Amino acid sequence: MAAMTRIKWYPPLDSVKGPESEIEIDGPTAVADLLRRLCAEDPALARFAHVDAESNLVLGLMVLNGETLLRPSDTVEPGGRLEILAAIDGG
């Protein structure tokens, strides 16, 4: 059953998507598929993420469900609440 899933966007992604947005998900969806969909729907996210040609995974974004960092193969359920951050490199 489809439901709206809320996404909280952290800086600098909030400059593209706003502080929060919603996306309709039809059923359990792999994180990798959700990220590809988000990037396809909003090309401005390409400044922060890109799809790796070999693995077809979106690189540069991290997805949290509560305090749990999700892997690309993990699934999200419709109606949930996610947080998406830009991966930071360096230090």
Side-chain angles (χ1 to χ4, degrees):
M1 182 170 132
M4 298 305 284
T5 297
R6 293 194 61 78
I7 300 172
K8 178 177 177 151
W9 298 93
Y10 284 89
L13 302 173
D14 62 341
S15 68
V16 174
K17 299 297 291 180
E20 289 195 2
S21 64
E22 292 183 327
I23 187 169
E24 187 171 16
I25 298 178
D26 294 332
T29 303
V31 169
D33 294 336
L34 177 65
L35 289 176
R36 279 193 298 275
R37 177 178 162 191
L38 288 166
C39 288
E41 290 177 358
D42 193 340
L45 284 176
R47 290 188 349 214
F48 307 100
H50 71 277
V51 177
D52 180 72
E54 289 183 32
S55 67
N56 203 29
L57 295 177
V58 174
L59 305 175
L61 300 176
M62 298 184 303
V63 179
L64 295 167
N65 184 353
E67 294 183 11
T68 303
L69 178 62
L70 301 177
R71 297 169 298 194
S73 60
D74 290 337
T75 57
V76 294
E77 297 293 327
R81 184 167 175 84
L82 303 173
E83 300 176 30
I84 299 183
L85 303 89
I88 304 298
D89 189 18

